[in-house]
């Protein structure tokens, strides 16, 4: 259970504390918890209490790349409240986790570089917002687990994960960014220096976008190669994904 006292905000010193009853979730699941408000020395009008997910996203500007925390899927959980001095006010919530939420755990391991948190926002009239975040573990969906395990089975080594701002060509996305999970090369496919895998999950299927850094040779330079695989959940266990990926990597 994650529990953290958040910062006081505004004149009067109202405080907010968010407790997550669900420290881990999968994309498409629900995070349950409670937001607790405690009045300060004077009555305060709270305009809104909201929650959102937060992750670190990289932005490319011409030849430069920067990164920063990006909020997504903002969800109001309560409207205006008159918080009297020293009053206690609990707001239970159930926060839906978008299917494209970056995953932070796979096969019992943390993905290096991956991070997701739940940020609490309390808007107080005439004062700054109070907000802080509580870390959240996001586990891989079964289809994501199958694909990642198959890639490792083929000798590729899980290296890191990050999120990139923007859209994927030809892929319908819900969020304005996407997660890339990077693997270092495999002796089985020495023509590929590294691969990056992106998942775009939907209710009934999953797109697996693979971008590989292909080594150059005497007659050609190295280049990036790109492939997309559609995974249907209802046939997930009927496919040998290591074999499918082995063939795809071999033809890149």
């Amino acid at each position: 259970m994650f529990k953290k006292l958040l910062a006081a905000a505004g004149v009067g010193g109202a405080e907010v504390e968010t407790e997550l009853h669900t420290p881990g979730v999968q994309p498409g699941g629900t995070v349950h918890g409670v937001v607790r408000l405690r009045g300060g020395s004077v009555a305060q009008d709270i305009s809104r209490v909201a929650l959102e997910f937060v992750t670190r996203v990289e932005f490319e500007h011409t030849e430069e790349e920067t990164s920063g925390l990006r909020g997504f899927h903002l969800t109001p959980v309560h409207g205006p409240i008159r918080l009297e001095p020293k009053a206690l006010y609990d707001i239970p919530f159930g926060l839906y986790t978008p299917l494209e939420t970056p995953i932070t755990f796979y096969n019992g391991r943390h993905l290096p570089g991956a991070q997701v948190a739940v940020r609490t926002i309390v808007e107080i009239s005439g004062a700054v917002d109070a907000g802080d975040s509580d870390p959240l573990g996001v586990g891989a969906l079964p289809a994501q687990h199958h694909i990642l395990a198959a890639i490792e089975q083929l000798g590729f080594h899980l290296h890191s994960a990050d999120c990139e701002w923007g859209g994927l060509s030809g892929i319908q996305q819900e969020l304005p960014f996407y997660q890339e999970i990077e693997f270092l090369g495999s002796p089985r496919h020495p023509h590929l220096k590294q691969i990056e895998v992106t998942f775009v999950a939907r209710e009934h299927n999953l797109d697996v976008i693979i971008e590989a850094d292909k080594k150059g040779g005497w007659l050609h330079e190295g280049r990036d190669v790109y492939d997309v695989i559609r995974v249907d959940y209802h046939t997930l266990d009927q496919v040998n994904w290591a074999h499918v990926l082995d063939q795809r990597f071999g033809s890149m």
Side-chain angles (χ1 to χ4, degrees):
M1 181 183 298
F2 298 105
K3 187 176 181 181
K4 185 177 182 181
L5 184 65
L6 307 184
V11 176
E15 292 179 324
V16 57
E17 180 184 50
T18 299
E19 180 179 316
L20 300 185
H21 298 160
T22 312
V25 71
Q26 288 182 313
T30 302
V31 179
H32 294 280
V34 60
V35 177
R36 294 193 172 98
L37 300 174
R38 182 169 64 188
S41 59
V42 298
Q44 289 179 278
D45 291 319
I46 298 194
S47 305
R48 181 178 67 159
V49 179
L51 297 168
E52 66 179 351
F53 295 100
V54 180
T55 192
R56 183 166 295 279
V57 179
E58 295 187 356
F59 303 81
E60 288 189 9
H61 303 281
T62 61
E63 296 181 357
E64 296 183 0
E65 187 173 78
T66 59
S67 67
L69 293 178
R70 169 77 185 190
F72 62 98
H73 194 67
L74 178 70
T75 303
V77 295
H78 207 289
I81 305 168
R82 177 70 171 180
L83 191 60
E84 299 295 336
K86 308 303 180 184
L88 299 177
Y89 198 97
D90 285 1
I91 306 170
F93 64 82
L95 182 62
Y96 171 74
T97 309
L99 284 165
E100 293 178 25
T101 299
I103 60 174
T104 63
F105 282 89
Y106 148 70
N107 198 24
R109 291 176 288 163
H110 178 256
L111 292 176
Q115 56 178 295
V116 174
V118 175
R119 179 159 60 192
T120 307
I121 300 170
V122 179
E123 297 177 357
I124 300 178
S125 300
V128 297
D129 297 349
D132 207 339
S133 56
D134 294 87
L136 178 71
V138 184
L141 291 166
Q144 295 169 327
H145 180 95
H146 274 64
I147 297 299
L148 295 174
I151 292 172
E152 289 194 306
Q153 186 179 334
L154 295 173
F156 291 91
H157 300 282
L158 180 62
H159 178 61
S160 64
D162 61 20
C163 293
E164 300 280 344
W165 181 262
L168 295 157
S169 178
I171 303 295
Q172 184 178 358
Q173 294 172 238
E174 177 185 357
L175 299 179
F177 60 87
Y178 55 91
Q179 183 181 41
E180 289 183 335
I181 302 173
E182 182 180 329
F183 291 83
L184 301 181
S186 164
R188 188 178 181 90
H189 293 285
H191 63 295
L192 302 178
K193 294 172 61 177
Q194 65 181 39
I195 61 172
E196 292 176 337
V197 178
T198 293
F199 297 117
V200 179
R202 303 182 187 89
E203 183 179 358
H204 301 294
N205 55 55
L206 174 81
D207 278 344
V208 183
I209 300 92
I210 301 171
E211 185 175 359
D213 184 359
K214 187 173 183 179
K215 295 180 180 178
W218 287 103
L219 301 178
H220 58 85
E221 296 182 353
R223 58 190 175 90
D224 290 339
V225 289
Y226 185 84
D227 197 3
V228 180
I229 302 173
R230 172 67 56 85
V231 178
D232 291 315
Y233 298 150
H234 71 281
T235 59
L236 177 64
D237 295 326
Q238 303 171 21
V239 179
N240 183 333
W241 291 107
H243 178 70
V244 170
L245 289 168
D246 197 24
Q247 290 185 318
R248 295 293 186 107
F249 291 145
S251 64
M252 283 182 163

